[in-house]
Amino acid sequence: MAAATSVVVLDRGNNTTCTINLHGATVVSWRVNNQEQLFVSKQAVFDGKKAIRGGIPFVFPQFGQWTFGPQHGFARIMRWNLEKPPERLPSGDVEAIFSIMDNDFTRSMWNYNFRLTYRLILREKELHFNIGVYNPSKDLTFRFNMLLHTYFKVPDVRRCQITGLHACTYVDKVQDGAVYQEARDAVTVCEYTDRIYQNTPQEHIITNVVSGRKMRIQKYNFPDTVIWNPWSEKAKEMIDFGDDEYPNMVCVESGHVSSPVVLLPGTAFEASQILQVM
Ligand code: BG6
């Protein structure tokens, strides 16, 4: 029997494509006019077990270390279903829908019934992400974190500026979780950085991404923004990340991680993100 296909391609024409690996429903490539927008490490492991190092891993139901299961939860290491194969919409945009639900593996760590759908729409210069989580239980409430762990490809992270963080409170994971307030109008990453900015505005702009362009991030129902770059020392500790790759990426991650989403029986949570090349 032929091996089951593990990647799904949305092709909008004009060398504009989005590739999703069913392992984690990880977006592993987003090309706009043939220009790749996402960073994937040359050392990334595609063994269907480990989380893919780069692109857009889907973090759920836990952000960070987890007593009951792997760091950043199980969604990024599960094989997702292709709920709806790529389809061209009347606008010319292309959409596909992915899903997971509870099974023996998820219930061994997190004993709840759930259904998660992930709809991606590829537009000319935009990628839209619509997420829905449903709690089908009659009596059990559950809590979760969710985050889109986006690795943007950049020529030199030290030359990128990230807007929309000014005056926001952040938890600095590099400083044992100390809490600070951001004083800068635009944030530049020039060292090992791992911060959870809280109650951030709906929009961030990153300057100097590929081809010197700007990237707009718009998010809904994602109150937090995580900024991460491992820099040289941490890079060396990761087996699936090249020692010299850190200048070429920045993670700007939309999430609901500072406080959990509390989902009552029979209700649904929705969140979305739009990435736009400007
Ligand atoms: C970030 C976290 O979102 O992901 C970091 O804030 C973490 O603390 C990073 O190191 C990468 O995590 P992982 O599990 O993919 O190596």
Side-chain angles (χ1 to χ4, degrees), residues 154-161 188-191 231 246-248:
V154 300
D156 183 352
V157 67
R158 293 161 286 215
R159 298 189 50 230
C160 296
Q161 295 193 310
T188 301
V189 173
C190 291
E191 59 188 338
W231 223 252
Y246 69 91
N248 303 125

Side-chain angles (χ1 to χ4, degrees), residues 51-53 57 59 63-64 71-72 76 147 149 151 173 192-196 226-228 238 240 251 253:
I52 296 169
R53 178 65 65 199
V59 172
F63 171 72
Q71 154 128 326
H72 289 342
R76 66 176 183 163
L147 171 129
H149 200 303
Y151 290 73
K173 291 172 84 176
Y192 172 36
T193 301
D194 190 358
R195 297 177 173 190
I196 306 167
V226 176
I227 309 286
W228 179 67
M238 289 189 283
D240 58 349
C251 283
E253 313 163 19

Side-chain angles (χ1 to χ4, degrees), residues 9 12 19 23 26 40 51-52 70 94 98 164 168 202 215 239 241 274:
V9 180
R12 205 190 179 284
T19 306
H23 181 61
T26 313
V40 177
I52 296 169
V94 181
F98 304 86
C168 294
Q202 278 189 349
M215 178 71 70
I239 56 146
F241 191 100
I274 299 174

